[in-house]
Amino acid sequence: MAAAPTGPPSPAKGRPRSAAADRAILDATRAALAELGWGGLTMGHVAERAGVAKTTLYRRWPSRNELAVDAVADLFEDLEIVDLGSLQADIEAVVQRFAALLSRPETQAALLALFAEGTRDPLLRRRIREAIVDPQKELVRCGRARAQERGELPPDADEAAAREEVDLIFDTIAGTVEHRILVSGESVGEAWIHRFTTLLLAPLSGLSAGRPAQRP
């Protein structure tokens, strides 16, 4: 009977994904979008710019649409809503981080190029909603639920109405900040953010118009 092989085990099929390669690819995609626009974005150009083989790129992202959406969605990964003790303080903090992100030239160019193409491509628009918009709505849901736990907002009486309210709050915040920065070219400072959130939250019961004290 032949002896069992004593050499190292055979490697598993396929290669593990490289975090460094993924980062290089996403960075290269955003840079290409910013410099060349949607029309100039090609998988070959991104692969060359990222220093990876085109086959490596296609193993990770089967199409330019998927790649571009993930590259832009990656910019928003660090956005979170931190518990600062009140709904207004929570929203002010996340709006400040959102505005800082939108103020970066790379973000502006990549986002505008992607959204412009999304108006012409329904499938791309759906992917944008799933990968970028819906995850950001979770911040609104989280902040709203936390405010209910603190007694700042009444509990939900109707699930469908609650979903609509989340959508409206998100659309109002995202739309206002994006329009001010991307369309009007105005700055978003602390005073503006406080006035905006005060106006936004004034109709909701149990909220003070003043800035709440933050937790130590």
Side-chain angles (χ1 to χ4, degrees):
M1 183 175 179
T6 57
S10 300
K13 291 183 178 180
R15 295 181 181 177
R17 289 185 65 151
S18 165
D22 284 357
R23 172 57 47 208
I25 291 168
L26 295 176
D27 289 346
T29 303
R30 289 192 297 270
L33 272 174
E35 293 177 15
L36 307 173
W38 185 266
L41 179 68
T42 66
M43 300 290 271
H45 178 77
V46 170
E48 181 180 358
R49 190 165 192 150
V52 301
K54 193 184 295 187
T55 53
T56 299
L57 192 62
Y58 277 107
R59 278 200 301 267
R60 288 159 164 77
W61 290 277
S63 72
R64 179 177 65 163
N65 283 12
E66 295 286 336
L67 174 60
V69 170
D70 281 1
V72 173
D74 179 65
L75 291 169
F76 296 90
E77 283 293 319
D78 292 335
L79 280 182
E80 59 180 349
I81 187 160
V82 180
D83 187 352
L84 297 175
S86 77
L87 181 57
Q88 180 155 3
D90 294 353
I91 292 179
E92 285 184 7
V94 77
V95 167
Q96 188 174 45
R97 289 192 292 273
F98 181 51
L101 177 62
L102 287 184
S103 297
R104 292 164 49 185
E106 177 196 44
T107 303
Q108 294 182 14
L111 198 63
L112 289 172
L114 182 64
F115 284 2
E117 184 62 23
T119 64
R120 296 185 285 268
D121 186 338
L123 292 179
L124 178 60
R125 185 185 306 161
R126 185 177 68 183
R127 178 61 183 151
I128 291 170
R129 183 175 64 250
E130 294 170 348
I132 300 175
V133 176
D134 289 347
Q136 302 314 311
K137 285 185 180 181
E138 287 300 321
L139 299 181
V140 176
R141 293 189 185 94
C142 178
R144 189 173 178 278
R146 191 179 290 154
Q148 290 173 325
E149 292 173 359
R150 289 189 297 241
E152 293 178 281
L153 295 176
D156 296 332
D158 180 84
E159 186 175 337
R163 286 196 300 270
E164 283 188 6
E165 184 174 298
V166 167
D167 288 346
L168 285 169
I169 293 172
F170 173 81
D171 289 346
T172 301
I173 293 174
T176 301
V177 176
E178 288 175 4
H179 186 277
R180 183 170 178 84
I181 294 176
L182 301 181
V183 179
S184 299
E186 300 287 343
S187 62
V188 174
E190 289 187 10
W192 183 90
I193 292 174
H194 182 59
R195 290 196 301 271
F196 169 58
T197 55
T198 298
L199 180 64
L200 174 71
L201 300 175
L204 302 179
S205 62
L207 289 174
S208 169
R211 181 185 293 275
Q214 295 186 2
R215 291 180 178 177

